[in-house]
Amino acid sequence: IPGSAIKGRRRLLVLLSVTGFLVGVCFAILQFRNPRIWSADVVQHAASVDENDKQATEELHETIHRLQSQVRKLKKDLATERNSHRANHEKGAQGKAVATATEESLAVARVDRHTAWGPSAKLDKEDPAFGAFLRTVAINDEVLVAVSNINYARKGGMLDLWMDGVKRSGVKNAMVVALDKETKRNVEERGVKAFLFDMQIPESQKNNGGNHATSALKFAILKRFMKLGYSVLLSDVDIVTLRNPFNELVRDSDVECMSDGFDDQTAYGWDDVYDDPAMGWSRYAHSMRIFVFNSGLFYIRPTEATMALLDKVIMAVETTGGWDQALFNQCIFFPNSPTNVDPGVTRRVMDRYVFMNSKTLFRYVRHNTMQLETVKPAMIHVNYHPNKFERMLAIVDHYVKGDKEALMEFPDGSE
């Protein structure tokens, strides 16, 4: 409220107070001189009131009329001033809204933690070489990415099998993040695009074995893609691609992952009841359980929530000796608590028959004739078995070459 409006209110209050005081004094005098002034028949008794009383009454009426006129004028002035202030305020708000429309839009985008952003010339300036490279690979701002070093990239090795499947399935937006120059050269010779990342395995991961130690780098790698506005379908190299996986994604969550579960309960979740007989009436306690998301096959979108997730996973990987997949799941699923800050990503479990793990295939599907004939996975991850290369070859023989016996020579698990 402007200062003039406040002054107007103060003047009105003072005037009303004075008016009340004067009216009270006048009526007190009249009552003292002639108590009949308070009678309901004051008009009928006016003839008996002396001349002085009449004069005092007329003066009082004039005073009241004058004060009432001043009150009405002050009210009118105050109303006018309020309307003027409201109009100025609305005009200023409209002008400000127009002037800051872009800023407000950006603010909304920042507040919405689950809306993905896309590539832009501005973002490319933060990582020019990589940004220019991704523009030659991505389709609809999406890329299929494998991370590899020379251990998997030797000719005729596991990365070759991975690339064969990708090309055979018609995936055009695939690439390899090469951790050394020899890997980059071998990949490019096979007609697949590669980008060299010069990265060192964190000290905390060096004793976890070559496979897990290399896998731990993927989260820092993913962050570079996210910053530039690209969604990534991350694939380990022990995966056989049979159909274009981009046709099977739902894209309704920050993170969309393959499950290590082998049936609907383990893959999608179940109510697990803990029994403590010593508690008597309350012996049964319910808990929600689900098998972990596999950190070797998942789709991730560039959102505020996923950036928070990646930062949290990177910190855990670099400061602990834990397995990167376990850390990945802890960061996704553990809620806010006195000991944890939840990055708050939305998450989806991939269809377990479309993005299949090797336990599902070798332990169950291959023994079910109907499923073996009708289920057509897009990708199969040989994550449950150590003889990965041999089982990948068998998967190709069965699903691509039509060898019905190719899967049968292996045990359900590992020997």
Side-chain angles (χ1 to χ4, degrees), residues 362 366-367 387 390-391 394 406-413 415:
F362 286 98
R366 70 167 176 165
H367 299 304
N387 53 339
E390 293 77 15
R391 291 187 186 243
L407 300 175
M408 300 306 174
E409 62 180 277
F410 300 93
D412 288 353
E415 294 177 335

Side-chain angles (χ1 to χ4, degrees), residues 317-362:
V317 166
E318 292 182 350
T319 58
T320 73
W323 180 26
D324 67 282
Q325 179 163 292
L327 298 174
F328 176 62
N329 279 269
Q330 290 169 16
C331 292
I332 289 176
F333 286 105
F334 284 6
N336 284 319
S337 70
T339 60
N340 184 62
V341 177
D342 179 12
V345 292
T346 55
R347 55 202 185 274
R348 165 176 283 274
V349 183
M350 291 172 165
D351 187 314
R352 68 186 186 91
Y353 287 119
V354 176
F355 297 89
M356 187 182 292
N357 63 58
S358 59
K359 180 174 181 176
T360 300
L361 175 62
F362 286 98

Side-chain angles (χ1 to χ4, degrees), residues 61-78:
H61 288 166
E62 290 178 1
T63 301
I64 292 173
H65 180 71
R66 185 173 64 255
L67 292 173
Q68 288 175 336
S69 298
Q70 293 179 4
V71 168
R72 284 194 295 270
K73 184 177 184 303
L74 284 173
K75 285 183 176 179
K76 183 178 180 181
D77 292 344
L78 183 59

Side-chain angles (χ1 to χ4, degrees), residues 43-57:
V43 177
Q44 297 177 8
H45 293 287
S48 63
V49 179
D50 59 26
E51 193 66 26
N52 290 336
D53 289 344
K54 289 181 180 181
Q55 184 177 357
T57 301

Side-chain angles (χ1 to χ4, degrees), residues 52-217:
N52 290 336
D53 289 344
K54 289 181 180 181
Q55 184 177 357
T57 301
E58 290 175 358
E59 291 176 353
L60 176 61
H61 288 166
E62 290 178 1
T63 301
I64 292 173
H65 180 71
R66 185 173 64 255
L67 292 173
Q68 288 175 336
S69 298
Q70 293 179 4
V71 168
R72 284 194 295 270
K73 184 177 184 303
L74 284 173
K75 285 183 176 179
K76 183 178 180 181
D77 292 344
L78 183 59
T80 301
E81 203 153 1
R82 282 175 175 169
N83 291 335
S84 176
H85 173 68
R86 185 181 297 112
N88 290 335
H89 177 74
E90 291 175 353
K91 182 178 179 181
Q94 291 173 357
K96 183 178 180 181
V98 172
T100 61
T102 302
E103 294 180 5
E104 289 178 355
S105 298
L106 292 174
V108 170
R110 287 192 295 268
V111 170
D112 183 357
R113 303 182 69 248
H114 307 289
T115 297
W117 57 80
S120 68
K122 182 178 180 181
L123 293 177
D124 282 354
K125 292 179 181 178
E126 299 180 12
D127 200 344
F130 192 40
F133 172 83
L134 288 176
R135 288 186 180 275
T136 69
V137 181
I139 297 175
N140 298 325
D141 304 333
E142 295 177 324
V143 286
L144 171 62
V145 177
V147 178
S148 182
N149 59 20
I150 194 57
N151 293 335
Y152 302 105
R154 300 189 190 283
K155 294 183 178 181
M158 198 179 299
L159 184 59
D160 274 1
L161 277 180
W162 183 88
M163 290 187 289
D164 288 342
V166 168
K167 291 191 287 185
R168 187 171 51 242
S169 301
V171 179
K172 305 298 183 183
N173 52 334
M175 61 166 288
V176 173
V177 170
L179 299 179
D180 52 69
K181 293 179 180 179
E182 190 175 356
T183 297
K184 182 175 183 295
R185 183 176 63 252
N186 289 351
V187 170
E188 290 175 339
E189 287 177 356
R190 291 293 312 276
V192 176
K193 294 185 178 180
F195 194 88
L196 179 63
F197 272 53
D198 184 13
M199 302 185 70
Q200 300 298 320
I201 295 173
E203 288 292 331
S204 60
Q205 296 291 326
K206 286 185 176 179
N207 294 325
N208 282 349
N211 186 22
H212 287 170
T214 302
S215 179
L217 297 173

